[in-house]
Amino acid sequence: NIKVSGTVTDANGIPIPGVSVIIQNTSTGATSDLDGKYTINVSSNGSLEFHSLGYLTKTIPVNGRTSINVQLEEDTQQLDEIVVVGYGTQRKESVTGSVVSIKAEDLQEVQTANFQQALQGRAAGVNISTTSTRPGAAPQIRIRGVRSLSGNNDPLIVLNGIPFSGGLSDINSNDIASLDILKDASATAIYGSRGANGVIIITTKAGKKGQKAKFSYNTYYAAKEVFSKYPMMNGAQLTQLRADVAANNGGTPIYDLGGDEDLANDTDWQDLLFGTGIQTTHDISVQGGSENGTYNIGMGYFKETSVVPGDAFERYSIRAQVDQEVGTLFRFGLNSVMNFNKTSSIVGINGVLSASPLLSPYDANGDFLESVRLQTEADDSWIPTRNEISRVGNGKKNEQLDYGSYNNIYGEVKIPWVDGLKFRLNLGLNFRTSRDGSFTGKGVFNYNPNNNSSASYNSSITKDYVIENQLLFDRTFADKHQVNFVGLFSSQQTKYDNVGLGVQNIPNETSLWYNLDAALSEDITSYGTGFSASGLLSYMARVMYQYDNRYLFTATLRSDGSSRLAPGHKWVTYPAMSLGWNIKNEKFMEDVNVVNQLKLRVGYGETSNQAVSPYSTQGRLSTRNYNFGSNFSTGYFVSQLPNPNLGWEFSETFNYGLDFGLFDNRLSGTVEYYVTKTSDILYGLGLPATSGVSSVTSNIGKTQNKGFELSLNGTIIDNPDGITWDVGVNLYTNKNEIIALATGEERNVGQLWFVGSPVNVIYDYQNIGLWNDTDSDYQYLQDFEPGGNVGMVKVKYTGDYNADGSPTRQINADDRIVQDPTPDFQGGFNTRLAYKDFDVSMVGTFQSGGTIISTLHSSNGYVNLLTGRRNNVDVDYWTPNNTGAKYPAPGGIQSGDNPKYGSTLGFFDGSYLKVRTITAGYNFNQPFVKDFGFDKLRVYATVQNPFVLFSPFNKESGLDPETNSGVNSNGSRQNVSVNTSNISKGIPTVGANAPSTRNFMIGLNLTF
Amino acid sequence: CTEEILQEEPRGVFTPDFFQTELGVQGGLTYLYENLRYLYGQPYYYNSLETGTDEYTYAQSADNNFKNADLSGVGNIISDTYTTSVAWNTVFPAINTASGIIENAAAVGIDASVVAEAKFFRAFNYFLLVQQYGGVPLDLGSGELVFNSSAVRTSIRNTVPEVYTKGIFPDLVAAINELPDSPRLTGTATKNVARLHLAKAYLTYAWWLENPNGIPTYPETPRTDPDGKDALYYFQQAYTIAMDGINNPGPYSLQEYFYDVHVGSNDRHSEMMLYADRTEESPIYNGASLGWSGTGGSANTAVWMVTSNYTTIKVDDVAAVQREADQSLGRPWTRMAPSINVFEETFAEKDLDSRYDGTFVSSYRGNWDKGGNSTPSLTAANGMQITPGDAVISFLDDYDATVDYSVNGGNLGGGEVAGRSDYVINLNEINRRFYPGLWKLGTYRTDNEGGLGQPNGAITRPFPIAKFSEFYFIAAEAYVKGATGGQTAYQLINVIRGRAGKWRYDNGEKSERMEDNSAAMIAATPLVVDLDFILAERSREYFGEGYRWLDLVRTQKWAEYAASYKIASNDASDHSPTTTNRTIEKFHYLRPIPQSQIDDLDMSDDEKSAYQNPGY
């Protein structure tokens, strides 16, 4: 035996501490110290193996040398291969459930306020849709479709091991080290009922053991420009529209030039409101580690404004991670994320869209009007402009402050007498408080200069805790039998309370919302407090077993008890199981060199969902306020019956997957197919009016989701010294269907649920064009449509016909048809081209088929009235000389203030392909970079949302086909009697929200 | 962290248990009153009771809610017509709550006189249903007239006589016995309020038994009374109870002047027996914003529908009549217009009878000063000057053939006549765009502070439901139908007509007018008062308050009275009226059962279609 010593370094010559140096074919070894130095006694003809996480293992024969310095190569592959599966990690090769793993670098290709937007188009089966374009608004996530009818369909977010209850914009996406998405029930079963809609596990960045302190600074700045203005008419077009209205209306315009309108004006109100928005961030962090511990602390600042003045979101965040081993048995740690957000929004954009271009914001001298209060013939309006907003200043203010603190504290002890057994106590403590102040001065943003001032103050506190007792066992027996066991008992409770007060007639307007008590008590417009609490107790056990890296098996059993359900129905237990077969590791595949990886997976699991709000089982007594003269009183009535049998909603999922890697893993991918059946669905069953009670929460109904998912990653060119080109594509489908509702209930028109159709549908007349006098059935127009006119919207008639070909009835509600807005398939792609220190990358999304709903074009938005009352979306409408138009004759038959069947005008083919970002970056590798002590210096420039292809909606309107609103936000339902309940609530829409933007960004990443 | 966290303790919300406490029961009563707001002042329900009668038709900005109701070929009433569903979808929770109060009250020690309010409301709501939909279910799921606590999804309609004899008469008889003479709180039910409704229910049931025009009922049932009484018996009962009400008025009395019945400053006066209250004092208890409201829910916005858009009046390039929170102005929606027949026939007499003047807005007056325009005077008709407060456009009481409309006065179709500074329009030349507003229900606010105030908030006045004057009409109608007693129809009607002849204020001229034309009014009453005269008189007294459809359906005169009407087109400058015909069929005398009710039933298709009224 001789004594060998040396230094282990990485490719850059930096020492690597903590490397295991093992004598081949023995269990004897040593570890490198902080300077990468090691010493070991070994026989002079032996061999040494150098192992370190993140590096390729290297075996070196001693050959009698006493000094061996080793350079290890980073194993990028292996880093990617670690997947967080909840209560532990697994090598990707061993995973049997449906899990998608996304690393920080991928997320950071799309720089956004929240991780959801960065995730868009990244993972098959994960659909992210924007429901508001206001800064700070979080998009909606749906993993493998919706299953619950009125319950929550949001996935569970787990932050550093603890269920996350905060706002979805509370997490700084630059803090994220990895995102792992558990999609099928066999994977989510460990999270039980809370994971019924899928689980997104977020792991924040941590230091590495033995790592020298490293400082990072990341920043970018983006300017946001309107992607495309809303296509509104100009002065001449509106004037022509009114003339065309008159032509269809016996020569009389319905709305004539009036009020402050003047034909000499042609104002583009959008130009007067929209400006340039910004988005910027600064993140700093320090991370490092000792032999027995790691740490990472960081701070971040993010700010975003929209193109609408007064819209802003700012976030200050702090992150701290500490993990320390004490002795050989104990380990303690803390993971903490804290954030402080400030959000404001003061003006909607409906005002500028509906404002007549024939109005002018200037007085006779060409100066801006003191306040843009203008009349048309029918409407008195105040129109928002940048100038007006800046003039008003503090006269209109909104400020929402959110503070959140999300903490996971843990302690772990190895049980000394059982190898591989650990006990871990996790304590999750979350706290979030929110305050929303709002103030509008007298007459501000209102046509009526005497409109009362108003102010409100609302505040809430959310507290929750989780205590988890975990027993963890991980050991390999006889080299071939790997066993991993997790046992868990957890208890969690969430409490929420809130307080709010709104008043009008504030005596001193400079006090904003800080002196509400100065208003008279009769000027209180709203007040209240609220409270809710819910608890969940759980027991869980999971076994993962694999034999010889070939046969993989995972089984989970979990019991959940929920406070939200009725006594006697609170507890449920459900199993999940999955199997995997690593075919590639079989002997018979050894010689198939083209295949590097081939794995077949099958999973089955049950999950359940407590998707009702607390107290649903107890029924509801609603309150109503009344005055007997000046005597005020509160009334009560039973609005919801109690349900003493309310229990869990169940889902069963089968998942089939195939993972493969070919040609030296240059082409790898996953194919999956799943079927999820949900039964005993929780929903508020509507009772007939004659029951005297509107609803009862029940376990009724069934839904089903089926889907196919494909992800492919390819390295097309791989030349470390020249060009590297990687491409990733994912594609998925989801077919959602309601299998059953309550007995005898084939459809629920109020909720828009129809057996045999998806949960989210359009229920409306089917627009088949316009009535023209050349139509063969035109002679029966008055039978189909009493009071109808040529050029009106023609909808499909589903009734019977008389012998002469006339309809037996007029077109009525029976002719409404369920229409499925689901795309045929959706997906995303990304590609990266690198040449030496330059790289260019691109990320995009696409969908084929389906329906985009534009409330601008439909009757919801009040800007396609086609009567000339307000400004109108610039649409191709019918005139006697333009009978082939898409939109009806203006001034024809109305329903409410809109053209009859106006709701059908908002449906567009949903296909599109959208490039979300293109980034060009340069990594400085010149000597001066090292001379300054920098590890890494990168600059990049990005354009976000550069263009849209293949979109019929974009082609017609120029607008971004991506949604910007929920159906009820900014839907502007002015007139409640107009039936706008033709679109399921779960469908996001394109509406009058802050316009989509195209962003130009430059950024810098620096590490030393 | 044990099982304790699985127990729920509701704190932020009420659960139905609370309804079994004393405060819960009392709150149930409050709810019964509050629920009235969802009908009285609700504009679409209001429309269903006015548009399509001889009082109103649709106006220029009407949507299908108004056109459908007109039955004049521009729409139709079908099972999912919104406006005819409002009553059905509003009253059952109130009926159920009333049953709950009646059941729970004894256990928590509530006085019988208070419980009687719940009995009154259960009957009130059933009466409302039976007049509009025919027979309706008495069993909501847990038994006949029992509080429903079961999630039942079936329903069986009782017949009309069952609803009257089980669901209406016994509760009202008990309410008359148990209610106090004077209200417990401002506007709560009393003995006499119950008498008025029982008298009206007897009257309506008597008409149903008689069925003079062969209108079908549903569910089908013979026109016989379970107690074996005939129509005349119930006409006599109606007369007797109404006379009881007149002779035992309690705190109620007729106002001295018709003007005072509706002037906003006099709301909640002695003649108003029942109303859906609102308040300017608190937006929370008003149930609607005081600044800007929509037209849904409990907001009182009915009068907006019948207010034409006067704000487009322009004189001398100035918006002379601006939107103001004033009883003559308020928020204009231009959805419903009175027909010309209203002014030519019903209100033919405009000088002796104060009711035309006390019902309509006959002159639109300048208020540009309140809107911040300091121009002292504007050049109006005939080049003459007008100052704020002067009439800008007036509707003429008496036809003037010399009106020259070519000037398009006020930019809203006004004409000129020699010597007048205001533009004028003959009442028999109005159009769907500009017509007299309904002053009686107009906005009334006390917080205008000399400006335009808050015209866009819902009306903060109580919406009238029942007035003391109706006792006279009910008794008179019963008398015409054969009832006998101390006072004849002629005498009864003349009490009302005599009062109508008394003036203290001229609303059109905005000036004091002390005048007593009672004798002349009585002299003009025909000696033999017949049904037609009573119905015309009812329209003069209750015009535009939501009585008309019910009156015409009760007396089976709807198709006859509303068969056609005259009005000019949507264009403000059109003063050439045309006649429009309506198609009112016998099945229209019952409203369709709302489609939502039928959709929510767990019954066979045959049962569902049998649930619907014929014709829909």
Side-chain angles (χ1 to χ4, degrees), chain A residues 249 252 254-255 257-260 375-380 442 448 450-452 465 467 489 491-493 504 522-527 529-531 533-537 561-565 570-571 613-638 640-642 685-693 696 742-745 747-749 782 786-787 810 812-813 816 869 893-897 974-978, chain B residues 1-3 5-16 18-19 23-24 27-28 30-31 33-35 37-38 44 60-65 67 73-76 78 80 82 88-89 92-93 96-97 137 139-140 147-155 184-188 268 275-279 281-286 290-292 294-296 309 311-312 314 319 323 331 333 335 370 411 433 449 451-455 570-571 595 597 599-602 608 611:
Chain A
N249 203 47
T252 315
I254 299 179
Y255 298 99
L257 191 71
D260 298 308
Q375 276 191 330
T376 56
E377 194 178 88
D379 294 304
D380 297 340
K442 182 171 182 175
N448 181 352
N450 295 320
N451 191 52
N452 288 340
Y465 70 79
I467 300 169
F489 167 67
S491 153
Q492 47 192 299
Q493 189 176 34
Q504 57 179 9
E522 52 259 48
D523 280 323
I524 294 174
T525 50
S526 67
Y527 63 96
T529 54
F531 170 82
S534 61
L536 190 68
L537 290 180
S562 167
S563 65
R564 297 170 193 237
L565 303 169
K570 287 182 188 293
W571 282 93
S613 40
Y615 319 119
S616 295
T617 145
Q618 314 215 20
R620 184 62 59 93
L621 196 65
S622 292
T623 60
R624 296 256 190 94
N625 294 318
Y626 189 65
N627 67 296
F628 295 97
S630 296
N631 194 326
F632 299 149
S633 182
T634 298
Y636 308 108
F637 73 108
V638 177
Q640 198 180 311
L641 290 172
L685 173 63
L687 298 175
T690 48
S691 73
V693 184
V696 58
T743 52
E745 193 180 28
R747 51 187 218 151
N748 183 326
V749 175
Q782 294 305 321
Q810 71 179 90
N812 66 25
R816 288 176 297 172
R869 173 173 163 180
I893 187 169
Q894 300 286 116
S895 168
D897 292 334
Q974 184 192 350
N975 182 341
V976 290
S977 71
V978 177
Chain B
C1 11
T2 59
E3 287 269 343
I5 66 166
L6 298 187
Q7 308 311 315
E8 285 195 324
E9 272 183 73
R11 294 203 181 102
V13 292
F14 285 108
T15 57
F18 186 71
F19 189 45
L23 286 175
T30 300
Y31 162 70
Y33 288 92
E34 195 271 350
N35 201 49
R37 286 178 175 170
Y38 287 76
Y44 302 99
Q60 175 254 355
S61 295
D63 56 55
N64 60 323
N65 287 307
K67 290 183 174 172
V74 288
N76 209 347
I78 55 178
D80 68 351
Y82 166 66
W88 184 279
N89 289 326
F92 283 105
N96 200 38
T97 302
D139 177 356
L140 305 189
F147 178 70
N148 178 33
S149 55
S150 70
V152 66
R153 290 170 56 229
T154 58
S155 178
R184 177 175 59 95
L185 293 166
T186 306
T188 60
R268 305 180 191 85
Y275 42 83
D277 212 348
R278 270 94 175 178
T279 180
E281 292 174 52
S282 158
I284 293 176
Y285 292 92
N286 185 46
L290 301 174
W292 196 97
T295 55
N309 195 359
T311 66
T312 58
K314 204 183 227 182
R323 198 181 285 209
R331 188 162 155 189
W333 275 48
R335 297 296 201 263
K370 295 178 187 168
N411 198 33
R433 172 64 183 84
E449 294 166 7
L452 297 172
Q454 304 269 352
N570 283 336
D571 183 2
Q595 191 60 42
Q597 163 75 23
D599 286 342
D600 281 340
L601 291 173
D602 181 12
K608 284 186 180 186
Y611 199 88

Side-chain angles (χ1 to χ4, degrees), chain B residues 118-272:
Chain B
K119 291 181 182 167
F120 167 75
F121 274 108
R122 186 163 66 183
F124 175 91
N125 286 307
Y126 267 123
F127 183 42
L128 198 142
L129 286 173
V130 79
Q131 292 177 86
Q132 299 186 39
Y133 301 99
V136 294
L138 295 172
D139 177 356
L140 305 189
S142 295
E144 257 184 24
L145 300 174
V146 171
F147 178 70
N148 178 33
S149 55
S150 70
V152 66
R153 290 170 56 229
T154 58
S155 178
I156 293 167
R157 293 174 63 183
N158 291 81
T159 63
V160 169
E162 285 167 347
V163 174
Y164 275 108
T165 57
K166 292 179 178 178
I168 297 173
F169 300 151
D171 273 345
L172 287 175
V173 168
I176 292 170
N177 290 333
E178 292 159 11
L179 281 170
D181 285 327
S182 292
R184 177 175 59 95
L185 293 166
T186 306
T188 60
T190 60
K191 256 186 208 327
N192 231 11
V193 172
R195 273 195 200 103
L196 181 68
H197 286 87
L198 183 59
K200 202 168 175 180
Y202 281 147
L203 181 73
T204 311
Y205 182 51
W207 275 105
W208 183 86
L209 286 171
E210 183 188 334
N211 190 24
N213 291 338
I215 304 293
T217 185
Y218 198 79
E220 282 169 36
T221 187
R223 301 260 173 176
T224 52
D225 179 41
D227 295 333
K229 304 292 199 297
D230 61 3
L232 184 59
Y233 169 84
Y234 283 103
F235 282 123
Q236 184 62 51
Q237 286 289 306
Y239 180 88
T240 307
I241 301 283
M243 291 310 295
D244 273 0
I246 292 169
N247 295 328
N248 302 286
Y252 307 105
S253 62
L254 291 182
Q255 293 288 298
E256 197 175 345
Y257 301 97
F258 183 80
Y259 176 78
D260 287 331
V261 178
H262 296 293
V263 66
S265 57
N266 194 38
D267 279 341
R268 305 180 191 85
H269 52 68
S270 65
E271 191 170 327
M272 283 294 176

Side-chain angles (χ1 to χ4, degrees), chain B residues 497-543:
Chain B
R497 286 179 57 79
R499 192 267 299 269
K502 293 172 79 174
W503 294 70
R504 75 169 178 89
Y505 189 78
D506 191 312
N507 197 24
E509 298 297 327
K510 297 289 173 212
S511 60
E512 188 182 310
R513 177 175 174 182
M514 295 306 296
E515 212 173 282
D516 187 348
N517 303 321
S518 300
M521 286 292 290
I522 290 167
T525 309
L527 288 175
V528 179
V529 168
D530 62 5
L531 181 66
D532 289 331
F533 189 79
I534 287 174
L535 283 171
E537 199 65 30
R538 280 188 77 96
S539 189
R540 285 188 277 275
E541 190 74 15
Y542 303 124
F543 186 89

